């Protein structure tokens, strides 16, 4: 029952996160000309800057909540109160992002976007930090953690399927506001259910220490430092993919926005089928080797995505086959990082005598959201080189840059010491 409630939450946050990342740049800069007569409200470069600024409050949110959650004891638990407080602001922020106040190009739209992204991502981090910390508490053995994180990845992909596949279709059929309202309703139900998890009251209680001291302890963990370097580059890669899909459809494949449903469906199908070999390789070679292999494979696939569609856009089935293979290389990235971080938390518990999982997941949440902002800045700037079927150079270049980040993420794991 505990796992069931937890997994539904994984589905819920993936719906909102993937839909927002894949649609917010297009909402404000669909490119000109476009098939829907949508105005450019803010240039993609400015959207990227707004997205980065919007995430600068995330470190404060995730680290503060992580430290407080580790040291909180109440009859409702130490994780669920923070999750409950963050839920409604997160949902409100999601809807507001897609309802800009001025229906034409105006600098107030950029200010509004920045403010609503701050609301969404700060509350998203405040929810996700204690939520992810529960992994180390409800799955205690290595086998349980790999099994749970695999199931999380599957539910996460289902959420991505709804967010990435349904969002462009809903926008095409009903508009941005109705898309946001439909998805936020799904998110409310799915993210509310984990509040029913019963927490373990017998975990060792860490000393009451200031947040800077908790960060200092984490920074001294020799396994955590290369893991953070890996996660920065890995999440920049993943977020570039999220942000660029609509432009892949329009500029490289020369299809309507709704065809993003097919593209995302092919990618997610590949990721689902990729779970089996990823699990087998993990059992045989360990988490570190498996993640390195998949990151290298992802890098080569990203380089191909920038060129392949231009050569074979008349044979869409060949492009979809590449996207299925591309999705398969993503599968391990959904499974392994949280399982690896749970191992790091175990090492910290052995050394300090206290389970302080939330501060580690708080740092990871900070890394994910700041990396998302950096990715938005990169994508927004590069797309200025061209993001239409007439001039697709920016879209091609974006995928090449993402491939380089994937290679870098693989390389940093050379310095990760835990082999299991």
């Amino acid at each position: 029952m505990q796992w069931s409630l937890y997994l539904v939450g994984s589905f819920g946050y993936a719906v909102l996160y993937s839909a927002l990342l894949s649609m917010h740049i297009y909402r404000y800069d669909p490119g000109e000309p476009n098939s829907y007569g949508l105005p450019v409200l803010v240039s993609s470069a400015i959207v990227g800057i707004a997205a980065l600024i919007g995430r600068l409050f995330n470190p404060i949110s995730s680290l503060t909540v992580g430290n407080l959650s580790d040291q909180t004891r109440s009859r409702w638990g130490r994780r669920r109160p923070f999750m409950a407080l963050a839920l409604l602001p997160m949902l409100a922020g999601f809807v507001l992002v897609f309802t800009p106040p001025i229906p034409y190009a105006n600098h107030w739209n950029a200010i509004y976007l920045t403010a609503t992204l701050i609301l969404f991502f700060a509350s998203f981090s405040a929810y996700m930090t204690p939520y992810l910390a529960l992994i180390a508490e409800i799955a205690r053995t290595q086998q349980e953690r790999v099994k749970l994180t695999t199931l999380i990845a599957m539910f996460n992909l289902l959420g991505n399927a709804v967010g990435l596949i349904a969002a462009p279709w809903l926008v095409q059929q009903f508009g941005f506001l109705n898309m946001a309202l439909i998805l936020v309703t799904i998110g409310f139900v799915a993210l509310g259910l984990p509040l029913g998890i019963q927490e373990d009251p017998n975990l060792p209680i860490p000393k009451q220490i200031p947040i800077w001291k908790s960060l200092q302890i984490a920074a001294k963990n020799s396994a955590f430092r290369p893991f953070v370097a890996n996660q920065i580059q890995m999440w920049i890669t993943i977020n570039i993919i999220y942000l660029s899909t609509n432009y892949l459809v329009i500029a490289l494949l020369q299809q309507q926005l709704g065809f993003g449903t097919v593209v995302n469906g092919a990618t997610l199908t590949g990721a689902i089928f990729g779970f089996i070999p990823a699990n087998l390789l993990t059992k045989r070679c360990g988490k570190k080797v498996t993640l390195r292999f998949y990151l290298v494979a992802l890098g080569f696939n990203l380089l191909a995505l920038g060129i392949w569609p231009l050569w074979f856009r008349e044979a869409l089935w060949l492009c979809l086959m590449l996207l299925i293979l591309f999705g398969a290389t993503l599968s391990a990235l959904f499974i392994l990082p949280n399982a690896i971080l749970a191992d790091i938390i175990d090492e910290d518990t052995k050394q300090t005598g206290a389970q302080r999982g939330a501060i580690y997941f708080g740092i990871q949440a900070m890394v994910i959201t700041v990396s998302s902002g950096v990715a938005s800045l990169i994508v927004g700037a590069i797309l200025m080189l061209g993001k239409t079927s007439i001039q697709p150079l920016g879209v091609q270049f974006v995928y090449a840059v993402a491939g380089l980040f994937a290679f870098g993420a693989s390389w940093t794991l050379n310095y990760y010491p835990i082999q299991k």
Side-chain angles (χ1 to χ4, degrees):
M1 183 62 178
Q2 296 275 82
W3 281 24
S4 298
L5 294 173
Y6 191 87
L7 292 170
V8 174
S10 177
F11 168 82
Y13 78 73
V15 170
L16 299 183
Y17 188 84
S18 61
L20 185 136
L21 256 66
S22 65
M23 300 304 298
H24 80 283
I25 292 183
Y26 189 82
R27 175 68 182 99
Y28 286 80
D29 185 358
E32 290 182 329
N34 63 78
S35 301
Y36 305 100
L38 295 171
V40 174
L41 305 178
V42 179
S43 73
S44 63
I46 299 299
V47 173
I49 294 171
L52 179 60
I53 295 172
R55 290 160 174 83
L56 293 181
F57 289 84
N58 288 55
I60 299 172
S61 174
S62 59
L63 297 178
T64 301
V65 169
N67 193 54
L68 289 173
S69 177
D70 279 338
Q71 300 180 36
T72 294
R73 291 297 181 272
S74 73
R75 59 177 177 172
W76 299 286
R78 60 176 181 164
R79 311 300 187 196
R80 293 180 298 164
F82 296 94
M83 293 161 60
L85 289 172
L87 181 56
L88 291 181
M90 184 204 316
L91 300 176
F94 181 87
V95 175
L96 292 173
V97 165
F98 293 103
T99 55
I102 302 174
Y104 52 85
N106 190 287
H107 68 277
W108 285 109
N109 284 326
I111 296 171
Y112 175 86
L113 175 62
T114 303
T116 54
L117 286 173
I118 289 172
L119 176 62
F120 175 81
F121 281 109
S123 52
F124 182 83
S125 292
Y127 182 96
M128 291 304 299
T129 297
Y131 171 83
L132 291 172
L134 287 170
I135 292 176
E137 301 176 20
I138 64 177
R140 296 299 182 83
T141 68
Q142 292 294 320
Q143 292 78 12
E144 283 185 345
R145 284 175 181 169
V146 172
K147 182 178 179 180
L148 177 59
T149 53
T150 299
L151 290 171
I152 289 171
M154 292 177 67
F155 275 78
N156 193 279
L157 280 176
L158 288 174
N160 275 279
V162 173
L164 295 174
I165 295 174
W169 183 84
L170 288 171
V171 168
Q172 186 169 311
Q173 298 297 318
F174 307 112
F176 283 99
L177 175 59
N178 288 324
M179 177 276 293
L181 292 174
I182 291 169
L183 295 186
V184 88
T185 301
I186 295 171
F188 174 74
V189 174
L191 292 168
L193 287 175
L195 299 177
I197 292 173
Q198 297 300 309
E199 298 184 45
D200 185 352
N202 300 314
L203 290 172
I205 303 174
K207 296 178 182 178
Q208 297 289 320
I209 58 175
I211 189 169
W212 65 266
K213 186 66 174 178
S214 294
L215 292 173
Q216 190 177 61
I217 292 170
K220 290 180 178 178
N221 189 312
S222 61
F224 190 56
R225 292 192 299 271
F227 175 77
V228 168
N230 165 267
Q231 289 293 281
I232 290 171
Q233 296 178 85
M234 191 190 90
W235 280 101
I236 288 176
T237 304
I238 292 173
N239 283 298
I240 288 175
I241 294 166
Y242 279 136
L243 292 163
S244 304
T245 301
N246 289 332
Y247 299 101
L248 168 69
V249 171
I250 293 165
L252 300 187
L253 297 178
Q254 295 185 345
Q255 300 296 313
Q256 298 294 316
L257 178 64
F259 193 73
T261 297
V262 178
V263 168
N264 290 323
T267 303
L268 294 170
T269 298
I272 291 170
F273 283 105
F275 284 151
I276 296 174
N279 271 275
L280 293 175
L281 189 60
T282 299
K283 290 178 181 178
R284 183 176 181 84
C285 303
K287 304 182 189 76
K288 171 182 173 178
V289 171
T290 302
L291 186 56
R292 288 200 66 195
F293 172 80
Y294 273 77
L295 282 166
V296 170
L298 175 62
F300 282 114
N301 269 270
L302 285 164
L303 294 179
L305 270 176
I307 301 172
W308 184 283
L310 292 181
W311 290 349
F312 299 101
R313 62 170 49 142
E314 300 302 325
L316 283 178
W317 68 271
L318 283 174
C319 295
L320 294 177
M321 291 299 294
L322 176 64
L323 288 163
I324 290 172
L325 179 62
F326 168 64
T329 63
L330 283 169
S331 57
L333 280 63
F334 288 101
I335 298 172
L336 295 177
N338 286 335
I340 289 172
L341 187 51
D343 293 340
I344 294 171
I345 292 168
D346 281 348
E347 293 296 318
D348 177 84
T349 302
K350 291 176 185 178
Q351 294 171 14
T352 66
Q355 209 277 1
R356 57 180 82 251
I359 193 65
Y360 281 96
F361 279 104
I363 295 171
Q364 186 194 42
M366 175 192 71
V367 166
I368 291 172
T369 51
V370 172
S371 297
S372 174
V374 172
S376 295
L377 188 66
I378 291 170
V379 171
I382 294 176
L383 286 178
M384 297 300 289
L385 297 174
K387 50 183 173 286
T388 66
S389 58
I390 299 171
Q391 178 51 271
L393 180 61
V395 185
Q396 292 180 274
F397 193 33
V398 154
Y399 280 103
V401 170
L404 294 178
F405 275 109
F407 292 138
S410 177
W411 179 79
T412 57
L413 286 175
N414 281 326
Y415 301 96
Y416 178 73
I418 301 174
Q419 300 298 323
K420 59 187 176 182

